[in-house]
Amino acid sequence: MGSMRRTVAELVQERWGDHRPGLWFEGRVLSHHRVAAGAAARAALLSDLLPPDAAPHIGALLDNTPEYPLWLSAAALSGAAVAGINPTRRGPELARDILHTECRVLVTERTHLPLLDGLELPGVRVLVTDTEAYEELLAPYEGATPDAAPSVSADARLLLYFTSGSTGAPKAAICTQGRLAAAGRSLVDQFGVRPDDTHYICMPMFHGNAVIADWAPALAAGAGIALRRRFSASGFLADVRACEATYFTYVGRAVQYLLATPARGDDRDNPLRMGFGTEAGAVDAAAFEERFGVRLVEGYGSSEGGAAIQWTPGAPAGAIGRAAPRDDLAVVDPETGAECPPAVFAEDGRLLNGDAAIGELVNRGPNPFEGYWRNPAADADRRRWGSPRSSEAESGGGWYWTGDLFYRDTDGFLYFAGRADDRLRVDSENLAAAMIENILARHEDAAVAVYAVPDPVAGDQVMAAIAPREGAGFDPSAFAEFLRAQPDLGTKMAPRFVRIVTRMPVTATNKIHRVGLRREGFRCADPVWWRPPGESAYRRLRAPDIEGLLAEYRARGREKLLPTG
């Protein structure tokens, strides 16, 4: 092999002959050996299916069934790459994802076949896993062994996973065998993953979180995995008890959904040791540990691999950790590229200089970002020198810009402040949506999303979507009183508009669907409350109010900036 780095193929091969339980799914258990054997059979089949003159790419349009890790392992053995196809995409967008990643084989299941109806997918061979035809196709290869697979390089592509963005078509980030194996090993070392652990995979495997932070460390440690077809808050505890899961990953609102389930006296009777993920929030993380006895560790790693923050024991409240050893992370002004001053805190922990301290996180040192598939413009935008407006941008050089907002204290601890896309500019002051959300989330344990709507004059206004807990309504007077009582709510932070939703809209990966919220703005089907300029009290936004607002936007030539509703 051309590199001393480990490969995922080697990790798969090491499970051959390991007859311990390795994979749980809906009452079935497969040994590590059977998983390795199944991967070897699929790798042998793949070598016959992929045209020799094409990129060795396959698409996985699957729920979290055993076929997903089997095909990941098969691709590793054969030197192919798997593109995770999002089943919430539809029509031309779905076809675009498959064709853009040049998948010559698409592995799916009967439940997803209707998604392919009417799509033009020239040159794509579709395999439907839960059919007799699939079993017959696979049968001649059942005797294959993983050590018969060709030697593959650590630089071979293994994952093409789409990153969500606020605009444009999703970009397919590249992850090689070496990077995935190294990421898995790093988490094994960081969290002390043992061979007798079981990782519960309930986040969708078409997303990088489940594969990189859950499957990879289990494979690296020789631990088992348990699959949930789709995330279920009500089925969570029963699952982890049944397979004795010790570790799970989460994103977005999954923790909140778990906390919303009815509490039981035996909630702490579970085998989980920890959960690892992002965006749970300090309040929910504390509530989760109190109720279930499980510590949640908030982490940060850019999906594309360009920057990572290492969890540090004893970190201050709200901090994620410090930069990983080989990263040179800085928080910079996205307009100028100048480093932001360190955060200044009040005695009660409030951030006093958020406007100056919050900036975009960049990695100024060498980093493992491996680019996007067939997208040099996105590569250059992600890795560039100086500032976003610099003319020196060049693919393969420059700083790595994460697209995430952070602030940093004097001891080097980093604090997440939201996506760069979620930055608001109100009356010439820069605000981070995540900072406002953290404050509003104190109000009666409600789920909150903060986002920008255009101001009639210039910049933005703050809008919040609030999903009250079950059985609770929205009291505008109590909410206004709550805002006045928050010592860290800056004068520009109070929402101008408040949308009340029964359930927070989320994406397929359980992150808040901010693009949809911004798209609808204050002209939406849900009830909206607002504070007219100069007022502190909230009242219902009615049709005459909307007409008055629209007239103001028209008068100032800013109506075209409004979402269509």
Side-chain angles (χ1 to χ4, degrees), residues 119-208:
L119 297 190
E120 293 291 334
L121 299 172
V124 179
R125 172 80 177 268
V126 178
L127 306 184
V128 186
T129 59
D130 48 351
T131 62
E132 289 185 10
Y134 177 75
E135 296 298 329
E136 292 171 359
L137 182 67
L138 197 56
Y141 301 91
E142 292 293 351
T145 60
D147 59 357
S151 178
V152 296
S153 166
D155 296 321
R157 290 187 301 276
L158 178 57
L159 301 179
L160 295 169
Y161 54 98
F162 288 101
T163 60
S164 56
S166 60
T167 59
K171 302 179 289 290
I174 296 170
C175 181
T176 60
Q177 294 219 21
R179 179 157 79 87
L180 186 58
R185 186 72 250 172
S186 175
L187 290 174
V188 169
D189 295 340
Q190 187 173 342
F191 296 131
V193 181
R194 304 183 297 256
D196 60 351
D197 280 329
T198 299
H199 286 203
Y200 179 56
I201 304 179
C202 55
M203 296 291 101
M205 293 192 75
F206 66 77
H207 190 256

Side-chain angles (χ1 to χ4, degrees), residues 25-91:
F25 178 72
E26 296 181 353
R28 298 164 49 204
V29 182
L30 299 178
S31 69
H32 288 289
H33 176 80
R34 286 191 62 191
V35 172
R42 285 158 180 78
L45 168 62
L46 194 57
S47 66
D48 286 343
L49 292 182
L50 287 175
D53 58 343
H57 296 174
I58 66 172
L61 179 60
L62 296 164
D63 291 336
N64 288 3
T65 69
E67 291 290 343
Y68 216 120
L70 283 169
W71 277 102
L72 285 173
S73 299
L77 291 174
S78 64
V82 175
I85 306 300
N86 184 342
T88 67
R89 301 269 283 174
R90 294 292 184 271

Side-chain angles (χ1 to χ4, degrees), residues 361-424:
L361 185 72
V362 300
N363 188 354
R364 299 179 298 195
N367 63 79
F369 172 55
E370 295 171 315
Y372 298 108
W373 179 253
R374 304 283 197 233
N375 199 334
D379 288 348
D381 185 61
R382 183 65 72 182
R383 183 181 273 156
R384 58 183 182 268
W385 300 105
S387 79
R389 295 178 183 175
S390 169
S391 61
E392 301 177 73
E394 58 179 85
S395 179
W399 300 349
Y400 176 86
W401 293 72
T402 66
D404 292 317
L405 301 176
F406 276 81
Y407 54 98
R408 188 177 200 159
D409 66 20
T410 53
D411 294 319
F413 286 101
L414 289 154
Y415 302 72
F416 182 66
R419 291 283 302 162
D421 289 341
D422 296 328
R423 195 175 190 129
L424 300 84

